[in-house]
Amino acid sequence: MKTLKIAIASDHAGYQFKNRLGEFLKKNGYLVTDFGTDSEASMDYPDTAHPLAEAVASEKFDFGFTLCGSGNGITMTANKHQKIRAALCWNSEIAELARLHNNANVCGIPARFISYEEVEKIAKIFLSTDFEGGRHQTRIDKIPLK
């Protein structure tokens, strides 16, 4: 079985959870690359979101995880890339549906609004749920602007 390659990125608000998530994923056998940030110093989330999204969109990575305070800004930024389907996931049920119905390839996490334990649950479900396809593929095909 193929070892999944995971990209992770955060802003200053998501820095601590990003580091913990990276270690968790490595311990569970995933290949992890950290796109930053490298401290809790204030920074602009697009500076890490764009490189992560480019790497996932080019299929150098299987999935990405982005973390910022609300999860919104970094997720919106990732979604500017045509081949990215980033979903804001604040619990494991949303993460499951993001994969099952939307074939999300980036999971956005609101670091200031959930516990780290929930982050691990979200990651487990996101990475273990397969896309259902079928009628959902038709909808996904309509997302990119032509």
Side-chain angles (χ1 to χ4, degrees), residues 11-85:
D11 72 352
H12 52 280
Y15 173 72
Q16 292 293 331
F17 280 4
K18 174 191 58 91
N19 289 348
R20 291 176 71 182
L21 177 61
E23 290 305 313
F24 171 76
L25 294 170
K26 287 175 189 174
K27 286 180 186 173
N28 283 278
Y30 298 99
L31 297 174
V32 178
T33 299
D34 187 338
F35 283 78
T37 192
D38 298 324
S39 76
E40 292 181 313
S42 182
M43 58 82 66
D44 300 329
Y45 53 78
D47 294 341
T48 58
H50 283 305
L52 176 140
E54 288 171 13
V56 174
S58 69
E59 299 180 359
K60 292 177 184 170
F61 292 85
D62 299 294
F63 296 104
F65 285 89
T66 57
L67 300 91
C68 75
S70 69
N72 283 311
I74 204 163
T75 302
M76 289 177 189
T77 302
N79 274 322
K80 295 299 179 185
H81 297 259
Q82 283 292 319
K83 294 183 180 179
I84 295 299
R85 291 171 308 283

Side-chain angles (χ1 to χ4, degrees), residues 21 63-66 75 85-110 114 117-132 140:
L21 177 61
F63 296 104
F65 285 89
T66 57
T75 302
R85 291 171 308 283
L88 179 58
C89 299
W90 60 91
N91 64 39
S92 56
E93 293 84 7
I94 295 296
E96 181 178 30
L97 288 172
R99 288 286 308 127
L100 193 66
H101 292 174
N102 308 115
N103 200 16
N105 53 7
V106 173
C107 180
I109 295 176
I114 63 175
E117 292 70 30
E118 190 66 33
V119 172
E120 285 189 7
K121 289 178 190 175
I122 289 167
K124 285 180 191 176
I125 292 294
F126 190 84
L127 293 172
S128 66
T129 301
D130 291 326
F131 176 51
E132 193 172 74
I140 289 168

